[in-house]
Amino acid sequence: KDKLKTKKLQINKHFDVKQNLLSHHLGMLKRIAIVDTQREGVKIYYSLNRNVFHKLKSDLKCLFDL
């Protein structure tokens, strides 16, 4: 697992999307295990699951013959 973690509000600063849409997409990424979450009180931290990400990246390269 990636040791770096960030809050949704920090992620939102880098994208021009509404927070509810970002929440929806982060939820989708969590369901397919690309991101992990860790709750600390009311804060939720997100981290990239590098193993799953690299597997997906490799699979997509093969699929699209890149």
Side-chain angles (χ1 to χ4, degrees):
K1 284 186 182 178
D2 190 1
K3 299 228 184 270
L4 297 176
K5 60 184 182 180
T6 188
K7 292 183 286 191
K8 184 172 31 177
L9 290 177
Q10 292 170 321
I11 296 170
N12 202 24
K13 291 179 186 177
H14 298 282
F15 300 97
D16 187 24
V17 295
K18 298 206 182 276
Q19 189 169 341
N20 63 335
L21 184 59
L22 180 60
S23 293
H24 172 74
H25 288 293
L26 286 171
M28 290 173 46
L29 293 172
K30 181 181 176 186
R31 281 190 292 281
I32 61 173
I34 291 177
V35 296
D36 295 314
T37 60
Q38 179 182 351
R39 183 178 290 274
E40 293 180 9
V42 296
K43 297 177 183 174
I44 301 174
Y45 292 90
Y46 296 86
S47 59
L48 179 66
N49 183 327
R50 290 184 181 267
N51 293 331
V52 173
F53 175 78
H54 289 301
K55 172 75 170 107
L56 176 63
K57 183 178 163 184
S58 176
D59 290 348
L60 288 172
K61 280 184 174 182
C62 290
L63 180 66
F64 291 103
D65 198 31
L66 299 174

